[in-house]
Amino acid sequence: MAKVPLPERPPRRAAMPNVLDGLLVIDFTRVVAGPACTQTLADFGADVIKVEHPDGGDDTRAYEHAEIAGESAAFLSLNRNKRGIVLDLAVAEAREVARDLIARADVVVENFSTGVMDKFGLDYATVSAGNPRLIYCSISAYGRSGPFASRPGFDPITQAESGFMSLNGFADGPPVRTGPPVIDLATGMSACNAILMALLARERLGRGQHVEVTLFDVATNMTSFYGMAYLLSGSNPGRFGNSPNGSPTVGVYEAADGPLYIACANDRLYRRLVSNVLGRPDLVWDPRFATRKSRSQNKESLRAIMAEIFTTDRLERWITKLKDAHIPAGYLRTVAEAFDAQEVLGRGRVCRIPHPTAGWVPNIETPISMGMTPSVEPVAAPTLGQHTTEVLQTTLGYHQCHVAALRELGAFGQTGKA
């Protein structure tokens, strides 16, 4: 049983439409980026059928962060609202099942290594001939064409190679990858956007298309204005810890009993901070700190003054003063502190939902809120092969004898999970 007590989820309002009702998505993805993409589609009503190999399934099923009734935290967090089937695509009859599913699909999403879908005869050129309205999304590390198409790659590798990692950490330390797999997750968001745009294009143009999103391209894009600044100036940006260059008062400060983070990035906020919160109006007119440029030039002196003042009082008093002065500031929380905070609990961001073997599992709500077409009632990520028979009989119309024959032929693996 999960260690953290959670409330049951309030029921979804009755008679609210689902924005993606009727959309059939065949999901050949695993690990993070692809499942994050298809989970968003499933959250808003798409029928997402997740296809896994019968021998262990998605790699994240075995991730070791935490587990409940044999289901990992990683898998549960990325595969909500999907139906799960198993197919051994090395078996010809299993490939026929996959082709039958794709023939009925609106969307296919895959993140196999380059050439795998071609080998199975499930590539876009082959399957779109019989389904020209198909949206086919390929997710990979470096793209399906070009000199790096065959290179394997994962989130931290693309963080390293794109320059993204070089921006994280402190100036006197090594580059640092992000804790959560931010490039994977951003790639999943970008892939979802690409699919939704392709669906809109299909309504206008009458046919589908192949769309592609790569981790490396997303990582490069996420260098954002630091990448743009390099292209403009030729100067290589470095690491700056918790206080970005050009924002000398932004960062972490220690109160007498704990840390806080302040984002005070313009002259107006700076004047309120030093006058109304810190009680040092002289710092407004001190020539070392009078302008943003001078504050940047004297950053360490200013931060030392501020740091000393913050140690003189308790965290709650500072947070109150900062909020009263409308200075953007917040607690520097652990994950446990954040999930126990009113910002999470008061907005119903976490709850528990039923699970067929665990009884119930935790659920972190989708961050997208839509007034007329809200997310569906959440259903826990499927156990391995949970819906194989159901999908083959209800979605494809296979007779139970056909399903039994496929099982005997090994289409669902040697264990015959179906």
Side-chain angles (χ1 to χ4, degrees):
M1 188 58 68
K3 300 292 186 182
V4 179
L6 295 169
E8 292 186 6
R9 188 181 193 270
R12 188 177 189 266
R13 284 178 289 167
M16 300 291 283
N18 296 324
V19 67
L20 297 179
D21 252 352
L23 193 76
L24 179 60
V25 179
I26 310 304
D27 178 7
F28 291 97
T29 70
R30 64 239 186 269
V31 193
V32 179
C37 164
T38 54
Q39 179 168 267
T40 299
L41 299 174
D43 282 344
F44 289 90
D47 181 8
V48 176
I49 298 174
K50 182 178 179 72
V51 181
E52 297 180 78
H53 194 282
D55 183 13
D58 190 320
D59 292 348
T60 59
R61 288 186 180 275
Y63 278 18
E64 297 176 350
H65 303 96
E67 62 89 26
I68 182 170
E71 301 293 333
S72 76
F75 187 80
L76 290 170
S77 72
L78 292 162
N79 293 284
R80 176 179 57 231
N81 291 325
K82 303 175 186 179
R83 294 194 287 168
I85 70 171
V86 288
L87 290 176
D88 183 352
L89 296 177
V91 176
E93 290 77 9
R95 295 195 295 274
E96 283 300 319
V97 174
R99 279 189 278 271
D100 281 352
L101 287 168
I102 293 171
R104 291 164 171 77
D106 297 283
V107 178
V108 165
V109 191
E110 60 90 13
N111 64 349
F112 283 114
S113 298
T114 298
V116 170
M117 293 297 268
D118 302 71
K119 179 180 72 174
F120 291 145
L122 302 175
D123 55 291
Y124 175 70
T126 300
V127 298
S128 64
N131 185 359
R133 287 176 59 81
L134 180 69
I135 311 300
Y136 191 109
C137 178
S138 295
I139 300 171
S140 63
Y142 298 97
R144 293 296 186 220
S145 61
F148 303 117
S150 62
R151 282 185 65 189
F154 294 93
D155 176 298
I157 304 301
T158 56
Q159 286 194 37
E161 291 197 331
S162 65
F164 180 89
M165 192 183 294
S166 76
L167 301 171
N168 300 323
F170 291 89
D172 58 352
V176 178
R177 62 170 286 183
T178 61
V182 66
I183 302 302
D184 270 335
L185 294 171
T187 299
M189 295 177 198
S190 297
C192 185
N193 284 341
I195 290 166
L196 295 175
M197 286 189 286
L199 288 167
L200 182 61
R202 186 176 75 173
E203 292 303 304
R204 296 178 175 178
L205 304 176
R207 63 173 295 118
Q209 59 183 296
H210 187 201
V211 300
E212 180 180 71
V213 184
T214 83
L215 272 69
F216 185 80
D217 293 349
V218 169
T220 303
N221 188 263
M222 285 183 66
T223 64
S224 189
F225 44 80
Y226 297 103
M228 182 62 75
Y230 163 71
L231 294 175
L232 289 173
S233 69
S235 178
N236 190 38
R239 293 179 293 286
F240 39 77
N242 292 314
S243 183
N245 290 336
S247 301
T249 54
V250 172
V252 176
Y253 294 89
E254 290 285 342
D257 57 348
L260 68 156
Y261 193 95
I262 297 175
C264 176
N266 61 43
D267 288 338
R268 175 173 46 83
L269 290 173
Y270 171 74
R271 288 193 293 270
R272 290 210 301 264
L273 172 66
V274 296
S275 298
N276 300 356
V277 177
L278 301 182
R280 289 289 304 273
D282 58 297
L283 297 177
V284 174
W285 311 115
D286 187 317
R288 296 174 298 169
F289 315 128
T291 66
R292 183 184 174 110
K293 184 176 181 180
S294 64
R295 290 195 295 276
S296 294
Q297 292 170 342
N298 296 282
K299 173 180 175 178
E300 296 309 319
S301 297
L302 178 58
R303 287 182 62 83
I305 293 169
M306 292 174 58
E308 184 176 359
I309 296 170
F310 276 115
T311 62
T312 64
D313 209 342
R314 293 180 297 106
L315 181 60
E316 288 297 336
R317 286 177 60 84
W318 286 123
I319 292 291
T320 299
K321 287 182 179 181
L322 288 160
K323 289 183 177 179
D324 288 346
H326 301 289
I327 305 294
Y331 304 95
L332 185 58
R333 292 171 172 146
T334 64
V335 172
E337 289 167 341
F339 275 75
D340 287 338
Q342 279 305 307
E343 290 92 331
V344 172
L345 300 177
R347 285 180 52 79
R349 294 293 86 198
V350 293
C351 62
R352 65 181 191 175
I353 57 177
H355 187 273
T357 58
W360 63 267
V361 294
N363 179 58
I364 302 173
E365 290 287 311
T366 173
I368 301 170
S369 296
M370 300 181 70
M372 188 171 67
T373 55
S375 60
V376 301
E377 289 274 9
V379 175
T383 57
L384 184 60
Q386 179 180 344
H387 304 102
T388 305
T389 297
E390 173 191 313
V391 167
L392 269 58
Q393 291 185 339
T394 62
T395 302
L396 296 181
Y398 287 4
H399 190 274
Q400 61 184 8
C401 294
H402 189 179
V403 176
L406 289 168
R407 185 183 300 110
E408 287 297 316
L409 290 166
F412 313 132
Q414 296 306 308
T415 58
K417 290 182 180 179

